[in-house]
């Protein structure tokens, strides 16, 4: 994914967790956020909701496990309803 985005001329900023993504979004202009659910610290759903609060026009793409837990499925549904334009991939 990264190589393709670079070929398309995109600038990429990588972070290690949701908290870092929130800090960067507050201080930088970001067009798209690609979130990969790792199950560590701040989950992807919480990160998506926070990013949307910072920038409601931010395009958000979430990648989640196909066979996640019931809690993860519930959080994904919260994001689907709270931020309908978010694309969620499994």
């Amino acid at each position: 994914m990264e190589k393709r985005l670079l070929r398309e001329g995109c600038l990429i900023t990588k972070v290690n967790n949701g908290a870092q993504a929130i800090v960067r979004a507050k201080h930088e202009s970001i067009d798209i956020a690609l979130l990969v659910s790792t199950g560590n610290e701040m989950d992807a759903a919480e990160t998506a909701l926070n990013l949307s609060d910072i920038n409601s026009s931010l395009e958000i793409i979430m990648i989640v496990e196909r066979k996640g837990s019931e809690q993860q499925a519930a959080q994904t549904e919260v994001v689907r309803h709270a931020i309908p334009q978010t694309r969620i991939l499994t």
Side-chain angles (χ1 to χ4, degrees):
M1 172 86 60
E2 180 178 356
K3 288 179 184 178
R4 181 175 183 189
L5 292 170
L6 288 170
R7 279 195 307 267
E8 295 294 323
C10 297
L11 298 174
I12 298 173
T13 301
K14 291 182 180 182
V15 296
N16 294 319
N17 56 51
Q20 288 179 359
I22 300 305
V23 170
R24 297 297 281 269
K26 287 180 180 178
H27 301 289
E28 298 177 22
S29 176
I30 298 173
D31 298 316
I32 298 173
L34 175 62
L35 307 177
V36 179
S37 177
T38 61
N40 298 328
E41 297 180 24
M42 185 184 299
D43 60 46
E46 184 178 358
T47 303
L49 294 168
N50 281 300
L51 289 173
S52 181
D53 286 344
I54 294 166
N55 179 353
S56 61
S57 64
L58 179 65
E59 184 174 346
I60 300 172
I61 302 169
M62 288 178 53
I63 300 176
V64 298
E65 290 183 51
R66 185 178 303 259
K67 295 181 180 179
S69 67
E70 286 184 29
Q71 179 182 4
Q72 182 181 22
Q75 291 171 343
T76 300
E77 283 306 308
V78 167
V79 171
R80 283 187 203 278
H81 292 294
I83 318 168
Q85 69 272 20
T86 299
R87 289 186 246 170
I88 300 175
L89 309 173
T90 57

